[in-house]
């Protein structure tokens, strides 16, 4: 059976607006993120990479649903949990793996590692090791966009925990006062490391903070790509037209620990299992199939292809070039202008 | 009674003994409660002392530092854990403008008895924003005391002294030291702030080292001993106030000085030590130029080989000291 190009008129806007090809591409990216992180985790266990990593497994819908609305000239600022944003914005997983393996071929030539992987060519202004570090940077990028009279946007990813940093409040205020084209995307996964939002915030939602800055805010099911994308597309269009910033809060969950050293003492197994049952990937697949936008075979083919791409990426990275240890101080400054 | 503890356990024991002895002492930081701290330093203390005394704070470093200042002004003795010393940069305002200066600005009418603990240094693959050594930055600020104990024994004793201290004390803890072991007495004892320690006696060259570089320098000294080069290693222990007298005395004996530290070499702690010697009577005793071995002029890279190359390592220390003593360059 041939799958139709778009969904029936009774489907929600997300499935009508996007072609089947676009939606399948979104599913492909979600799989790439999932397999990228599982691959990274496994490589770490096998001692192939060092350091730590923050996995976003379970949060793929917010990464892909958000970045779907963007074009290459739009910017994102990302976080320590940034692999999904990076792939969503169009990065090549094999070059991300090369970074993980500390190789010259990596996006940051092996200098940055997991916490800093970013493909600048696709508008990614950087993953960030500093919680909240990207918030004012996104505002600055949006300021430049406005000064240059472009209709691009800056999308700022941050966590619930980051909204307790002063930088969050200062950034929202400036973006709002100057009516800048920023889309603030809060990935609220209920915890900042081990501390729940109940223990660290006196309001229920991060979105509740936006009105203090005169900023519109929306709360969506962060595990539903359709929910995320519809809200983000509206916020992005609003920003492109000069309407100013919006905060979109994606309620989601990381099913892995905070980082490699997490013993999950602050949450229950039941809670984790509960959220695993709300995995955004099968949820999206089921909707695609229900709307007749993809067949089960196509879905399987997408998954298998993503797995192959990831396996090839790890192999590529393993065989990459180690940086020359005498080049420690390279790229601290720009080369002297001629 | 003394027994072996890790550096992390020594910190935890000091914190527990201080809290037992004084109800005004409390701990604050990120994930120091049920999580036990990013480096498991506070461990199970929350179960012993409760959430009111082992407080998980929101991710608000500037706010936490200011809260510590305010609580200290009002009679408490807060011990604030930063998850990584790099995040002190977010709290600089409260540390530098408030904690360090309030006593002075108010004419000596108040004191700010707080302690801030900073897991520092490279070697864990955590890259540029989680691996810095910014101890010299804070040591540049009058009003702060800055300590950098290198052994479990000194850590416990100096942390207890820091908590007793009426002024703000910044404690730098190298992350690679947390699992190192050493003899630590059970009772609550103090090791004074402001006093360096001669970790190894020698007659050919004085090495002033800080933190993990003390251990690397001692290792280098063992190798050089086999070549007949006798290295004296001074563990500086406190950056501010600096124990210049111990260094001067040693240099007068050895006539050579090397400074080994992980922070960026330029404008680092080695510059201050060198200047103090150049300004002192020990200057006339020098038989060779002073050697500084410090961190590279770069952020800490992620790649493990680059990361190692960015800070002094034992082979480089051996070579540097050998050349200094034999007159080769
Ligand atoms: C300024 C700063 N403080 C603390 C940390 C340590 N840290 C890294 S991630 C994290 C939790 C962040 O929580 P959240 O913003 O909710 O993002 P999530 O990890 O849940 O994706 C913490 C405390 C840091 N990297 N930077
Ligand atoms: Mg979170």
């Amino acid at each position: 059976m041939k799958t139709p190009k778009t969904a029936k008129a009774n489907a929600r806007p997300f499935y009508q607006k996007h072609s089947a090809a676009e939606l399948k591409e979104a599913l492909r990216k979600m799989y790439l993120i999932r397999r990228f992180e599982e691959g990274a985790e496994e490589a770490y266990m096998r001692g192939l990479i060092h350091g730590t990593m923050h996995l976003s497994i379970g949060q793929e819908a917010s990464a892909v649903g958000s970045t779907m609305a963007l074009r290459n000239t739009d910017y994102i600022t990302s976080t320590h949990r940034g692999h999904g944003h990076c792939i969503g914005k169009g990065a090549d997983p094999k070059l991300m793996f090369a970074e993980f393996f500390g190789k010259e071929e990596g996006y940051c030539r092996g200098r940055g590692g997991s916490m800093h992987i970013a493909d600048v060519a696709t508008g990614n202004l950087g993953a960030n090791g500093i919680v909240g570090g990207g918030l004012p940077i996104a505002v600055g990028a949006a300021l430049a966009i406005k000064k240059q009279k472009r209709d691009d946007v800056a999308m700022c990813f941050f966590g619930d925990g980051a909204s307790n940093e002063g930088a969050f409040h200062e950034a929202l205020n400036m973006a709002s006062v100057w009516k800048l084209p920023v889309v603030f995307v809060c990935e609220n996964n209920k915890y900042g490391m081990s501390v729940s939002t109940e223990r660290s915030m006196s309001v229920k939602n991060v979105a509740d903070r936006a009105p203090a800055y005169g900023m519109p805010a929306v709360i969506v099911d962060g595990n539903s790509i359709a929910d995320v994308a519809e809200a983000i597309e509206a916020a992005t269009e609003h920003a492109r037209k000069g309407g100013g910033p919006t905060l979109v809060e994606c309620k989601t969950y990381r099913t892995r620990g905070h980082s490699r050293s997490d013993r999950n003492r602050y949450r229950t197994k039941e809670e984790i299992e509960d959220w695993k049952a709300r995995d955004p990937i099968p949820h999206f697949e089921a909707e695609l199939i229900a709307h007749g936008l993809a067949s089960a075979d196509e879905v399987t083919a997408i998954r298998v292809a993503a797995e192959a791409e990831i396996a090839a990426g790890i192999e590529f990275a393993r065989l990459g070039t180690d940086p020359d240890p005498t080049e420690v101080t390279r790229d601290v400054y720009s080369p002297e202008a001629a | 009674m003394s027994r072996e503890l890790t550096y992390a356990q020594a910190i935890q024991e000091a914190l527990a003994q201080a809290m037992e002895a004084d109800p005004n002492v409390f701990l604050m930081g990120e994930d120091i409660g049920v999580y036990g701290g990013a480096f498991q330093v506070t461990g199970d203390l929350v179960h012993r002392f409760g959430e009111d005394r082992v407080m998980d704070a929101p991710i608000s470093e500037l706010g936490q530092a200011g809260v510590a200042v305010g609580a200290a002004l009002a009679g408490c003795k807060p011990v604030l854990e930063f998850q990584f010393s790099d995040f002190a940069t977010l709290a600089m305002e409260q540390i530098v403008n408030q904690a360090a200066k309030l006593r002075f600005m108010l004419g000596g009418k108040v004191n700010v008895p707080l302690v801030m603990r900073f897991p520092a240094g490279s070697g864990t693959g955590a890259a540029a924003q989680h691996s810095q050594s910014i101890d010299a930055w804070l040591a540049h600020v009058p009003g702060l005391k800055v300590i950098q104990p290198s052994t479990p024994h000194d850590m416990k004793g100096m942390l207890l002294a820091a908590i007793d201290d009426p002024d703000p004390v910044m404690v730098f803890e190298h992350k690679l030291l947390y699992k190192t072991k050493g003899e630590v007495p059970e009772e609550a004892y103090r090791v004074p702030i402001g006093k360096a320690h001669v970790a190894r006696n020698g007659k050919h060259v004085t090495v002033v080292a800080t933190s993990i570089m003390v251990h690397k320098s001692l290792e280098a000294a063992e190798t050089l001993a086999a070549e007949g080069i006798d290295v004296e290693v001074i563990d500086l222990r406190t950056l501010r106030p600096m124990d210049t007298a111990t260094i001067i005395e040693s240099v007068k004996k050895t006539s050579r000085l090397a400074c080994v530290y992980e922070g960026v070499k330029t404008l680092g702690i080695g510059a201050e030590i060198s200047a103090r010697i150049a300004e002192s009577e020990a200057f006339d005793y020098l038989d060779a130029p002073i050697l500084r071995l410090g961190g590279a002029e770069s952020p800490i890279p992620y790649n493990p080989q680059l990361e190692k190359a960015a800070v002094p390592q034992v082979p480089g220390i051996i070579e540097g000291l050998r050349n200094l003593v034999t007159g080769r360059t």
Side-chain angles (χ1 to χ4, degrees), chain B residues 179-200:
Chain B
K179 291 186 173 145
T180 59
K181 289 183 178 160
E183 286 291 311
V184 178
E186 272 171 25
E187 72 277 8
Y189 59 93
R190 269 76 181 164
V191 173
I193 292 172
K195 194 84 197 80
H197 167 67
V198 180
R200 185 182 198 282

Side-chain angles (χ1 to χ4, degrees), chain A residues 80-81 129 131 159-162 165 189 191-192 258, chain B residues 30 61 83 87:
Chain A
H80 57 285
R81 205 174 299 289
V131 169
D160 47 287
E165 290 282 13
N189 56 12
Y191 296 92
H258 166 74
Chain B
E30 289 164 18
E61 288 80 7
Q83 203 158 81
F87 311 153

